[in-house]
Amino acid sequence: MSRVWQCGRYPLSLERPLVMGIVNVTPDSFSDGGEHATADAAVEHGLRLVREGADILDVGGESTRPGSDEVPPDVESARVLPVVERLAREAGVPVSIDTRHAEVAHAALASGASIVNDVAGFRDSAMVEVAAASDAGLVVMHMLGEPKSMQANPRYDDVVVEVRAFLERQATALVAAGVAPERICVDPGIGFGKTLDHNLALLRALSELASLGYPVLVGASRKRMIGDLTGEPEPKRRLGGSVAVALWAAAHGASIVRVHDVRETKQALTVWGALEGSGA
Ligand code: HH2
């Protein structure tokens, strides 16, 4: 039987890798800050990503780039809710809310979101309550500390063992709170309190994360690790590296990739899938 990630009314088949398109409604994201800062521009962008093949849209109103300040939940809500509401109605694919604030998640679900993507990995008990009271899909991501300080001097004894244990612990807590396991997806959190070596170790160990039994999501699009490896300082010029990571991730156990450049990623995955014979 084929595996499914259950996200509200959407049962998402994991037969082939899924592409989550990024819709930032922020003035300051590292990769595209300010480009879609109005609701109309963000909705337009989201609809374009769906035409390009996005399977999911991830709407975020708080940049979590290293060093960023926390956005008050009411400001975040004012940014994202109109966008979530319209995309949930018009896009025809599940809308994910990228937030670490329970009140924003709650309001976004009421506005039609089908997935809660929490970069803090449901460490906040209020987030667990919101999740348990819904039927949404849940992304449990690993982050060391908080965005403000996470890149200061990240240290692990064994990054793979520690990230895997965290994801397992948080997923188990969600199940204990009443969440069906088929709603959960896990994410190593590339760049969230990790050096380049940590990121590489986690990407090389995706099959160990997948062995937890939950679908694995990878978000490396345009991130600093690609700049570190290639010397490209401009996030928008990291497309080649971003596609390389997406293909690597799909080939090594990831079920979902979170990307800015949907058309190019989808094309690469389709060709790779044909070569693999998986029919992507
Ligand atoms: N990365 C960012 C935001 N949300 N969610 C998941 N599940 N995984 C990720 O790797 C991830 C995420 C990065 O955030 P930001 O710096 O705000 O930039 P952008 O949203 O353009 O990627």
Side-chain angles (χ1 to χ4, degrees):
M1 215 182 76
S2 77
R3 288 179 74 209
V4 159
W5 181 27
Q6 190 63 47
C7 300
R9 65 197 158 96
Y10 293 94
L12 297 179
S13 167
L14 302 173
E15 283 285 277
R16 58 168 181 83
L18 299 178
V19 174
M20 174 186 260
I22 299 168
V23 181
N24 283 321
V25 201
T26 53
D28 58 346
S29 273
F30 80 100
S31 54
D32 57 1
E35 272 177 31
H36 321 296
T38 69
D40 281 348
V43 169
E44 201 38 59
H45 181 64
L47 295 175
R48 192 174 81 232
L49 295 184
V50 172
R51 288 195 297 276
E52 292 182 0
D55 301 291
I56 301 165
L57 293 176
D58 189 38
V59 178
E62 179 189 45
S63 176
T64 46
R65 74 187 189 289
S68 56
D69 285 313
E70 196 160 344
V71 173
D74 56 326
V75 174
E76 191 186 339
S77 287
R79 287 180 185 166
V80 294
L81 295 183
V83 178
V84 167
E85 206 238 321
R86 280 185 52 197
L87 287 175
R89 217 164 355 104
E90 296 173 31
V93 301
V95 173
S96 159
I97 177 70
D98 183 346
T99 187
R100 38 193 187 128
H101 297 125
E103 65 183 271
V104 178
H106 179 72
L109 290 169
S111 299
S114 301
I115 297 169
V116 177
N117 173 22
D118 181 4
V119 299
F122 293 87
R123 282 184 259 165
D124 177 359
S125 59
M127 265 302 224
V128 175
E129 275 173 42
V130 169
S134 79
D135 62 357
L138 308 173
V139 181
V140 180
M141 199 198 81
H142 176 274
M143 166 168 67
L144 188 70
E146 302 297 325
K148 188 83 190 159
S149 55
M150 64 190 179
Q151 287 304 110
N153 186 16
R155 278 173 196 273
Y156 302 84
D157 287 330
D158 183 327
V159 69
V160 174
V161 168
E162 288 168 49
V163 167
R164 188 182 188 281
F166 171 85
L167 296 174
E168 182 170 37
R169 193 165 62 240
Q170 298 308 101
T172 303
L174 285 166
V175 173
V179 171
E182 52 274 13
R183 290 170 49 200
I184 297 174
C185 158
V186 295
D187 179 345
I190 299 302
F192 283 85
K194 281 130 196 152
T195 62
L196 174 61
D197 283 347
H198 295 143
N199 292 322
L200 291 173
L202 286 164
L203 287 166
R204 290 184 184 122
L206 286 180
S207 62
E208 286 176 51
L209 302 182
S211 74
L212 288 170
Y214 301 104
V216 174
L217 186 152
V218 167
S221 182
R222 300 185 183 175
K223 282 187 179 169
R224 182 186 300 173
M225 69 163 280
I226 296 165
D228 289 345
L229 288 169
T230 62
E232 176 53 66
E234 172 54 46
K236 278 198 194 133
R237 289 172 37 171
R238 295 176 181 161
L239 174 59
S242 302
V243 171
V245 181
L247 290 182
W248 168 274
H252 292 85
S255 295
I256 304 123
V257 288
R258 178 183 181 276
V259 304
H260 300 86
D261 302 288
V262 168
R263 184 196 305 277
E264 294 82 357
T265 308
K266 193 85 184 177
Q267 188 180 83
L269 286 169
T270 300
V271 172
W272 169 78
L275 291 165
E276 280 280 302
S278 68

mmCIF file of all heavy atoms in Angstrom, residues 196-243:
data_model
loop_
_atom_site.group_PDB
_atom_site.id
_atom_site.type_symbol
_atom_site.label_atom_id
_atom_site.label_comp_id
_atom_site.label_asym_id
_atom_site.label_seq_id
_atom_site.Cartn_x
_atom_site.Cartn_y
_atom_site.Cartn_z
ATOM 1 N N LEU A 196 28.337 24.064 8.606
ATOM 2 C CA LEU A 196 28.313 23.358 7.323
ATOM 3 C C LEU A 196 28.508 21.856 7.528
ATOM 4 O O LEU A 196 27.791 21.035 6.943
ATOM 5 C CB LEU A 196 29.422 23.911 6.406
ATOM 6 C CG LEU A 196 29.611 23.161 5.083
ATOM 7 C CD1 LEU A 196 28.336 23.209 4.239
ATOM 8 C CD2 LEU A 196 30.788 23.742 4.300
ATOM 9 N N ASP A 197 29.447 21.485 8.392
ATOM 10 C CA ASP A 197 29.691 20.044 8.625
ATOM 11 C C ASP A 197 28.470 19.367 9.231
ATOM 12 O O ASP A 197 28.156 18.218 8.898
ATOM 13 C CB ASP A 197 30.907 19.851 9.536
ATOM 14 C CG ASP A 197 32.205 20.056 8.770
ATOM 15 O OD1 ASP A 197 32.161 20.089 7.522
ATOM 16 O OD2 ASP A 197 33.255 20.212 9.414
ATOM 17 N N HIS A 198 27.790 20.056 10.146
ATOM 18 C CA HIS A 198 26.561 19.474 10.719
ATOM 19 C C HIS A 198 25.515 19.245 9.626
ATOM 20 O O HIS A 198 24.870 18.198 9.567
ATOM 21 C CB HIS A 198 25.967 20.404 11.791
ATOM 22 C CG HIS A 198 26.825 20.589 12.998
ATOM 23 N ND1 HIS A 198 26.929 21.795 13.662
ATOM 24 C CD2 HIS A 198 27.625 19.736 13.664
ATOM 25 C CE1 HIS A 198 27.748 21.662 14.697
ATOM 26 N NE2 HIS A 198 28.189 20.421 14.721
ATOM 27 N N ASN A 199 25.344 20.256 8.765
ATOM 28 C CA ASN A 199 24.345 20.126 7.683
ATOM 29 C C ASN A 199 24.688 18.959 6.763
ATOM 30 O O ASN A 199 23.817 18.178 6.372
ATOM 31 C CB ASN A 199 24.276 21.422 6.862
ATOM 32 C CG ASN A 199 23.690 22.577 7.648
ATOM 33 O OD1 ASN A 199 22.751 22.403 8.425
ATOM 34 N ND2 ASN A 199 24.238 23.765 7.458
ATOM 35 N N LEU A 200 25.967 18.848 6.413
ATOM 36 C CA LEU A 200 26.376 17.760 5.514
ATOM 37 C C LEU A 200 26.164 16.404 6.184
ATOM 38 O O LEU A 200 25.691 15.456 5.546
ATOM 39 C CB LEU A 200 27.846 17.941 5.105
ATOM 40 C CG LEU A 200 28.115 19.139 4.189
ATOM 41 C CD1 LEU A 200 29.625 19.331 3.990
ATOM 42 C CD2 LEU A 200 27.425 18.973 2.836
ATOM 43 N N ALA A 201 26.503 16.319 7.465
ATOM 44 C CA ALA A 201 26.326 15.037 8.173
ATOM 45 C C ALA A 201 24.853 14.639 8.180
ATOM 46 O O ALA A 201 24.510 13.463 7.961
ATOM 47 C CB ALA A 201 26.859 15.158 9.609
ATOM 48 N N LEU A 202 23.977 15.609 8.412
ATOM 49 C CA LEU A 202 22.531 15.299 8.460
ATOM 50 C C LEU A 202 22.018 14.889 7.086
ATOM 51 O O LEU A 202 21.241 13.937 6.958
ATOM 52 C CB LEU A 202 21.757 16.510 8.987
ATOM 53 C CG LEU A 202 21.917 16.747 10.489
ATOM 54 C CD1 LEU A 202 21.468 18.153 10.882
ATOM 55 C CD2 LEU A 202 21.136 15.698 11.285
ATOM 56 N N LEU A 203 22.476 15.577 6.045
ATOM 57 C CA LEU A 203 22.008 15.225 4.692
ATOM 58 C C LEU A 203 22.518 13.841 4.292
ATOM 59 O O LEU A 203 21.830 13.093 3.601
ATOM 60 C CB LEU A 203 22.441 16.294 3.683
ATOM 61 C CG LEU A 203 21.650 17.599 3.813
ATOM 62 C CD1 LEU A 203 22.326 18.734 3.052
ATOM 63 C CD2 LEU A 203 20.218 17.419 3.301
ATOM 64 N N ARG A 204 23.716 13.509 4.758
ATOM 65 C CA ARG A 204 24.248 12.170 4.438
ATOM 66 C C ARG A 204 23.525 11.089 5.232
ATOM 67 O O ARG A 204 23.609 9.912 4.886
ATOM 68 C CB ARG A 204 25.747 12.118 4.749
ATOM 69 C CG ARG A 204 26.560 12.951 3.791
ATOM 70 C CD ARG A 204 28.058 12.784 4.065
ATOM 71 N NE ARG A 204 28.833 13.661 3.203
ATOM 72 C CZ ARG A 204 29.681 14.589 3.644
ATOM 73 N NH1 ARG A 204 29.885 14.751 4.946
ATOM 74 N NH2 ARG A 204 30.321 15.347 2.793
ATOM 75 N N ALA A 205 22.838 11.471 6.291
ATOM 76 C CA ALA A 205 22.197 10.479 7.170
ATOM 77 C C ALA A 205 20.674 10.512 7.055
ATOM 78 O O ALA A 205 19.970 10.100 7.983
ATOM 79 C CB ALA A 205 22.616 10.744 8.617
ATOM 80 N N LEU A 206 20.163 10.998 5.929
ATOM 81 C CA LEU A 206 18.699 11.108 5.817
ATOM 82 C C LEU A 206 18.009 9.766 5.998
ATOM 83 O O LEU A 206 16.909 9.695 6.560
ATOM 84 C CB LEU A 206 18.315 11.699 4.450
ATOM 85 C CG LEU A 206 18.571 13.195 4.275
ATOM 86 C CD1 LEU A 206 18.154 13.633 2.889
ATOM 87 C CD2 LEU A 206 17.827 13.992 5.343
ATOM 88 N N SER A 207 18.647 8.687 5.551
ATOM 89 C CA SER A 207 17.993 7.381 5.687
ATOM 90 C C SER A 207 17.826 7.016 7.166
ATOM 91 O O SER A 207 16.863 6.350 7.540
ATOM 92 C CB SER A 207 18.760 6.301 4.938
ATOM 93 O OG SER A 207 20.039 6.181 5.501
ATOM 94 N N GLU A 208 18.746 7.489 8.019
ATOM 95 C CA GLU A 208 18.599 7.219 9.460
ATOM 96 C C GLU A 208 17.413 7.994 10.038
ATOM 97 O O GLU A 208 16.726 7.519 10.940
ATOM 98 C CB GLU A 208 19.868 7.598 10.217
ATOM 99 C CG GLU A 208 20.988 6.606 9.992
ATOM 100 C CD GLU A 208 22.268 7.042 10.671
ATOM 101 O OE1 GLU A 208 22.246 7.363 11.868
ATOM 102 O OE2 GLU A 208 23.297 7.081 9.974
ATOM 103 N N LEU A 209 17.194 9.193 9.507
ATOM 104 C CA LEU A 209 16.020 9.956 9.968
ATOM 105 C C LEU A 209 14.746 9.303 9.433
ATOM 106 O O LEU A 209 13.738 9.187 10.142
ATOM 107 C CB LEU A 209 16.109 11.410 9.507
ATOM 108 C CG LEU A 209 17.354 12.175 9.976
ATOM 109 C CD1 LEU A 209 17.289 13.625 9.500
ATOM 110 C CD2 LEU A 209 17.487 12.132 11.493
ATOM 111 N N ALA A 210 14.802 8.859 8.177
ATOM 112 C CA ALA A 210 13.620 8.216 7.583
ATOM 113 C C ALA A 210 13.264 6.934 8.323
ATOM 114 O O ALA A 210 12.089 6.534 8.357
ATOM 115 C CB ALA A 210 13.870 7.933 6.102
ATOM 116 N N SER A 211 14.259 6.310 8.963
ATOM 117 C CA SER A 211 13.987 5.056 9.672
ATOM 118 C C SER A 211 13.104 5.269 10.910
ATOM 119 O O SER A 211 12.626 4.308 11.506
ATOM 120 C CB SER A 211 15.299 4.364 10.070
ATOM 121 O OG SER A 211 15.903 5.056 11.147
ATOM 122 N N LEU A 212 12.862 6.530 11.281
ATOM 123 C CA LEU A 212 11.904 6.795 12.368
ATOM 124 C C LEU A 212 10.492 6.384 11.946
ATOM 125 O O LEU A 212 9.616 6.198 12.782
ATOM 126 C CB LEU A 212 11.902 8.290 12.732
ATOM 127 C CG LEU A 212 13.123 8.822 13.486
ATOM 128 C CD1 LEU A 212 13.088 10.339 13.565
ATOM 129 C CD2 LEU A 212 13.164 8.214 14.892
ATOM 130 N N GLY A 213 10.277 6.305 10.630
ATOM 131 C CA GLY A 213 8.965 5.869 10.138
ATOM 132 C C GLY A 213 8.066 7.018 9.708
ATOM 133 O O GLY A 213 6.945 6.794 9.240
ATOM 134 N N TYR A 214 8.543 8.256 9.862
ATOM 135 C CA TYR A 214 7.767 9.426 9.424
ATOM 136 C C TYR A 214 8.377 9.941 8.122
ATOM 137 O O TYR A 214 9.594 9.830 7.927
ATOM 138 C CB TYR A 214 7.834 10.537 10.477
ATOM 139 C CG TYR A 214 7.303 10.124 11.828
ATOM 140 C CD1 TYR A 214 8.174 9.835 12.882
ATOM 141 C CD2 TYR A 214 5.939 9.998 12.055
ATOM 142 C CE1 TYR A 214 7.694 9.435 14.126
ATOM 143 C CE2 TYR A 214 5.446 9.597 13.288
ATOM 144 C CZ TYR A 214 6.332 9.325 14.318
ATOM 145 O OH TYR A 214 5.854 8.920 15.524
ATOM 146 N N PRO A 215 7.545 10.559 7.255
ATOM 147 C CA PRO A 215 8.139 11.187 6.081
ATOM 148 C C PRO A 215 9.142 12.263 6.506
ATOM 149 O O PRO A 215 8.956 12.914 7.537
ATOM 150 C CB PRO A 215 6.944 11.835 5.359
ATOM 151 C CG PRO A 215 5.721 11.463 6.103
ATOM 152 C CD PRO A 215 6.093 10.732 7.349
ATOM 153 N N VAL A 216 10.186 12.438 5.703
ATOM 154 C CA VAL A 216 11.226 13.428 6.011
ATOM 155 C C VAL A 216 11.112 14.594 5.033
ATOM 156 O O VAL A 216 10.963 14.386 3.827
ATOM 157 C CB VAL A 216 12.634 12.796 5.901
ATOM 158 C CG1 VAL A 216 13.723 13.857 6.067
ATOM 159 C CG2 VAL A 216 12.804 11.690 6.936
ATOM 160 N N LEU A 217 11.170 15.813 5.574
ATOM 161 C CA LEU A 217 11.161 17.035 4.761
ATOM 162 C C LEU A 217 12.547 17.673 4.848
ATOM 163 O O LEU A 217 13.138 17.708 5.933
ATOM 164 C CB LEU A 217 10.090 17.985 5.289
ATOM 165 C CG LEU A 217 9.799 19.278 4.513
ATOM 166 C CD1 LEU A 217 8.342 19.709 4.754
ATOM 167 C CD2 LEU A 217 10.718 20.419 4.900
ATOM 168 N N VAL A 218 13.054 18.179 3.728
ATOM 169 C CA VAL A 218 14.346 18.868 3.728
ATOM 170 C C VAL A 218 14.181 20.250 3.104
ATOM 171 O O VAL A 218 13.611 20.394 2.017
ATOM 172 C CB VAL A 218 15.409 18.053 2.950
ATOM 173 C CG1 VAL A 218 16.656 18.903 2.682
ATOM 174 C CG2 VAL A 218 15.793 16.805 3.731
ATOM 175 N N GLY A 219 14.688 21.262 3.816
ATOM 176 C CA GLY A 219 14.653 22.635 3.312
ATOM 177 C C GLY A 219 16.062 23.199 3.270
ATOM 178 O O GLY A 219 16.603 23.603 4.299
ATOM 179 N N ALA A 220 16.660 23.199 2.097
ATOM 180 C CA ALA A 220 18.023 23.745 1.976
ATOM 181 C C ALA A 220 18.083 24.841 0.926
ATOM 182 O O ALA A 220 19.137 25.438 0.706
ATOM 183 C CB ALA A 220 19.002 22.633 1.622
ATOM 184 N N SER A 221 16.939 25.128 0.307
ATOM 185 C CA SER A 221 16.880 26.040 -0.827
ATOM 186 C C SER A 221 17.555 27.387 -0.529
ATOM 187 O O SER A 221 17.204 28.072 0.437
ATOM 188 C CB SER A 221 15.397 26.264 -1.164
ATOM 189 O OG SER A 221 15.231 27.092 -2.274
ATOM 190 N N ARG A 222 18.521 27.744 -1.344
ATOM 191 C CA ARG A 222 19.228 29.034 -1.305
ATOM 192 C C ARG A 222 19.983 29.275 0.005
ATOM 193 O O ARG A 222 20.439 30.393 0.257
ATOM 194 C CB ARG A 222 18.263 30.203 -1.540
ATOM 195 C CG ARG A 222 17.556 30.165 -2.874
ATOM 196 C CD ARG A 222 16.708 31.410 -3.075
ATOM 197 N NE ARG A 222 15.950 31.375 -4.323
ATOM 198 C CZ ARG A 222 15.066 32.300 -4.692
ATOM 199 N NH1 ARG A 222 14.843 33.347 -3.915
ATOM 200 N NH2 ARG A 222 14.417 32.198 -5.832
ATOM 201 N N LYS A 223 20.110 28.261 0.863
ATOM 202 C CA LYS A 223 20.680 28.524 2.192
ATOM 203 C C LYS A 223 22.184 28.703 2.178
ATOM 204 O O LYS A 223 22.859 28.370 1.217
ATOM 205 C CB LYS A 223 20.264 27.402 3.162
ATOM 206 C CG LYS A 223 18.827 27.587 3.648
ATOM 207 C CD LYS A 223 18.420 26.607 4.718
ATOM 208 C CE LYS A 223 16.962 26.903 5.139
ATOM 209 N NZ LYS A 223 16.413 25.851 5.981
ATOM 210 N N ARG A 224 22.674 29.185 3.320
ATOM 211 C CA ARG A 224 24.085 29.540 3.438
ATOM 212 C C ARG A 224 25.009 28.357 3.158
ATOM 213 O O ARG A 224 26.114 28.533 2.652
ATOM 214 C CB ARG A 224 24.359 30.087 4.835
ATOM 215 C CG ARG A 224 25.806 30.523 5.007
ATOM 216 C CD ARG A 224 26.117 30.933 6.413
ATOM 217 N NE ARG A 224 25.280 32.048 6.827
ATOM 218 C CZ ARG A 224 25.247 32.535 8.060
ATOM 219 N NH1 ARG A 224 25.995 32.000 9.010
ATOM 220 N NH2 ARG A 224 24.474 33.554 8.359
ATOM 221 N N MET A 225 24.571 27.126 3.482
ATOM 222 C CA MET A 225 25.474 25.990 3.241
ATOM 223 C C MET A 225 25.872 25.923 1.763
ATOM 224 O O MET A 225 26.992 25.538 1.438
ATOM 225 C CB MET A 225 24.862 24.657 3.701
ATOM 226 C CG MET A 225 23.687 24.154 2.905
ATOM 227 S SD MET A 225 23.355 22.375 3.207
ATOM 228 C CE MET A 225 24.578 21.602 2.153
ATOM 229 N N ILE A 226 24.945 26.343 0.889
ATOM 230 C CA ILE A 226 25.248 26.309 -0.542
ATOM 231 C C ILE A 226 26.250 27.418 -0.882
ATOM 232 O O ILE A 226 27.187 27.215 -1.655
ATOM 233 C CB ILE A 226 23.954 26.424 -1.365
ATOM 234 C CG1 ILE A 226 23.087 25.192 -1.083
ATOM 235 C CG2 ILE A 226 24.248 26.576 -2.862
ATOM 236 C CD1 ILE A 226 21.662 25.324 -1.534
ATOM 237 N N GLY A 227 26.070 28.569 -0.225
ATOM 238 C CA GLY A 227 27.042 29.650 -0.396
ATOM 239 C C GLY A 227 28.415 29.232 0.128
ATOM 240 O O GLY A 227 29.442 29.505 -0.504
ATOM 241 N N ASP A 228 28.438 28.547 1.277
ATOM 242 C CA ASP A 228 29.715 28.115 1.855
ATOM 243 C C ASP A 228 30.432 27.140 0.926
ATOM 244 O O ASP A 228 31.645 27.161 0.790
ATOM 245 C CB ASP A 228 29.487 27.435 3.211
ATOM 246 C CG ASP A 228 29.076 28.419 4.296
ATOM 247 O OD1 ASP A 228 29.240 29.641 4.085
ATOM 248 O OD2 ASP A 228 28.578 27.966 5.348
ATOM 249 N N LEU A 229 29.661 26.269 0.292
ATOM 250 C CA LEU A 229 30.275 25.240 -0.564
ATOM 251 C C LEU A 229 30.729 25.799 -1.911
ATOM 252 O O LEU A 229 31.664 25.275 -2.510
ATOM 253 C CB LEU A 229 29.269 24.098 -0.817
ATOM 254 C CG LEU A 229 28.988 23.187 0.374
ATOM 255 C CD1 LEU A 229 27.794 22.283 0.083
ATOM 256 C CD2 LEU A 229 30.214 22.341 0.688
ATOM 257 N N THR A 230 30.037 26.843 -2.372
ATOM 258 C CA THR A 230 30.280 27.301 -3.745
ATOM 259 C C THR A 230 30.910 28.689 -3.829
ATOM 260 O O THR A 230 31.341 29.107 -4.908
ATOM 261 C CB THR A 230 28.950 27.370 -4.529
ATOM 262 O OG1 THR A 230 28.104 28.334 -3.865
ATOM 263 C CG2 THR A 230 28.252 26.028 -4.575
ATOM 264 N N GLY A 231 30.886 29.431 -2.721
ATOM 265 C CA GLY A 231 31.390 30.797 -2.755
ATOM 266 C C GLY A 231 30.393 31.790 -3.331
ATOM 267 O O GLY A 231 30.735 32.947 -3.551
ATOM 268 N N GLU A 232 29.152 31.361 -3.553
ATOM 269 C CA GLU A 232 28.144 32.277 -4.111
ATOM 270 C C GLU A 232 27.462 33.044 -2.975
ATOM 271 O O GLU A 232 26.695 32.465 -2.204
ATOM 272 C CB GLU A 232 27.099 31.481 -4.913
ATOM 273 C CG GLU A 232 25.951 32.327 -5.465
ATOM 274 C CD GLU A 232 26.433 33.523 -6.268
ATOM 275 O OE1 GLU A 232 27.022 33.320 -7.333
ATOM 276 O OE2 GLU A 232 26.239 34.680 -5.818
ATOM 277 N N PRO A 233 27.710 34.355 -2.860
ATOM 278 C CA PRO A 233 27.148 35.102 -1.737
ATOM 279 C C PRO A 233 25.669 35.451 -1.908
ATOM 280 O O PRO A 233 24.977 35.729 -0.926
ATOM 281 C CB PRO A 233 27.998 36.377 -1.701
ATOM 282 C CG PRO A 233 28.505 36.540 -3.103
ATOM 283 C CD PRO A 233 28.597 35.172 -3.703
ATOM 284 N N GLU A 234 25.181 35.462 -3.139
ATOM 285 C CA GLU A 234 23.815 35.944 -3.405
ATOM 286 C C GLU A 234 22.828 34.771 -3.381
ATOM 287 O O GLU A 234 22.872 33.897 -4.255
ATOM 288 C CB GLU A 234 23.821 36.647 -4.781
ATOM 289 C CG GLU A 234 22.475 37.046 -5.337
ATOM 290 C CD GLU A 234 21.660 37.900 -4.381
ATOM 291 O OE1 GLU A 234 22.210 38.853 -3.807
ATOM 292 O OE2 GLU A 234 20.469 37.598 -4.209
ATOM 293 N N PRO A 235 21.895 34.756 -2.387
ATOM 294 C CA PRO A 235 20.975 33.616 -2.274
ATOM 295 C C PRO A 235 20.250 33.275 -3.568
ATOM 296 O O PRO A 235 20.095 32.109 -3.909
ATOM 297 C CB PRO A 235 20.001 34.054 -1.176
ATOM 298 C CG PRO A 235 20.807 34.974 -0.321
ATOM 299 C CD PRO A 235 21.726 35.697 -1.261
ATOM 300 N N LYS A 236 19.832 34.293 -4.319
ATOM 301 C CA LYS A 236 19.062 34.007 -5.549
ATOM 302 C C LYS A 236 19.890 33.337 -6.626
ATOM 303 O O LYS A 236 19.352 32.835 -7.608
ATOM 304 C CB LYS A 236 18.505 35.311 -6.106
ATOM 305 C CG LYS A 236 17.249 35.698 -5.413
ATOM 306 C CD LYS A 236 16.510 36.703 -6.257
ATOM 307 C CE LYS A 236 15.451 37.330 -5.413
ATOM 308 N NZ LYS A 236 15.438 38.769 -5.530
ATOM 309 N N ARG A 237 21.217 33.376 -6.476
ATOM 310 C CA ARG A 237 22.072 32.727 -7.489
ATOM 311 C C ARG A 237 22.558 31.363 -7.021
ATOM 312 O O ARG A 237 23.566 30.860 -7.513
ATOM 313 C CB ARG A 237 23.224 33.653 -7.854
ATOM 314 C CG ARG A 237 22.662 34.821 -8.654
ATOM 315 C CD ARG A 237 23.621 35.922 -8.938
ATOM 316 N NE ARG A 237 24.970 35.487 -9.209
ATOM 317 C CZ ARG A 237 25.922 36.302 -9.659
ATOM 318 N NH1 ARG A 237 25.634 37.572 -9.883
ATOM 319 N NH2 ARG A 237 27.126 35.861 -9.861
ATOM 320 N N ARG A 238 21.820 30.765 -6.069
ATOM 321 C CA ARG A 238 22.197 29.447 -5.557
ATOM 322 C C ARG A 238 21.269 28.345 -6.081
ATOM 323 O O ARG A 238 21.095 27.308 -5.433
ATOM 324 C CB ARG A 238 22.178 29.461 -4.023
ATOM 325 C CG ARG A 238 23.219 30.398 -3.442
ATOM 326 C CD ARG A 238 23.119 30.482 -1.924
ATOM 327 N NE ARG A 238 24.110 31.415 -1.377
ATOM 328 C CZ ARG A 238 24.041 31.964 -0.165
ATOM 329 N NH1 ARG A 238 23.018 31.661 0.637
ATOM 330 N NH2 ARG A 238 24.972 32.781 0.250
ATOM 331 N N LEU A 239 20.666 28.575 -7.260
ATOM 332 C CA LEU A 239 19.688 27.617 -7.791
ATOM 333 C C LEU A 239 20.311 26.249 -8.062
ATOM 334 O O LEU A 239 19.744 25.214 -7.705
ATOM 335 C CB LEU A 239 19.051 28.185 -9.062
ATOM 336 C CG LEU A 239 18.123 27.250 -9.826
ATOM 337 C CD1 LEU A 239 16.968 26.791 -8.948
ATOM 338 C CD2 LEU A 239 17.579 27.942 -11.077
ATOM 339 N N GLY A 240 21.482 26.242 -8.706
ATOM 340 C CA GLY A 240 22.117 24.959 -9.036
ATOM 341 C C GLY A 240 22.371 24.130 -7.785
ATOM 342 O O GLY A 240 22.052 22.935 -7.727
ATOM 343 N N GLY A 241 22.923 24.770 -6.773
ATOM 344 C CA GLY A 241 23.189 24.062 -5.511
ATOM 345 C C GLY A 241 21.911 23.619 -4.831
ATOM 346 O O GLY A 241 21.834 22.524 -4.253
ATOM 347 N N SER A 242 20.875 24.459 -4.921
ATOM 348 C CA SER A 242 19.590 24.114 -4.285
ATOM 349 C C SER A 242 18.982 22.883 -4.941
ATOM 350 O O SER A 242 18.460 21.983 -4.267
ATOM 351 C CB SER A 242 18.603 25.287 -4.397
ATOM 352 O OG SER A 242 19.144 26.442 -3.786
ATOM 353 N N VAL A 243 19.050 22.830 -6.269
ATOM 354 C CA VAL A 243 18.502 21.674 -6.987
ATOM 355 C C VAL A 243 19.324 20.422 -6.662
ATOM 356 O O VAL A 243 18.773 19.331 -6.479
ATOM 357 C CB VAL A 243 18.452 21.947 -8.507
ATOM 358 C CG1 VAL A 243 18.096 20.690 -9.283
ATOM 359 C CG2 VAL A 243 17.433 23.047 -8.810
#
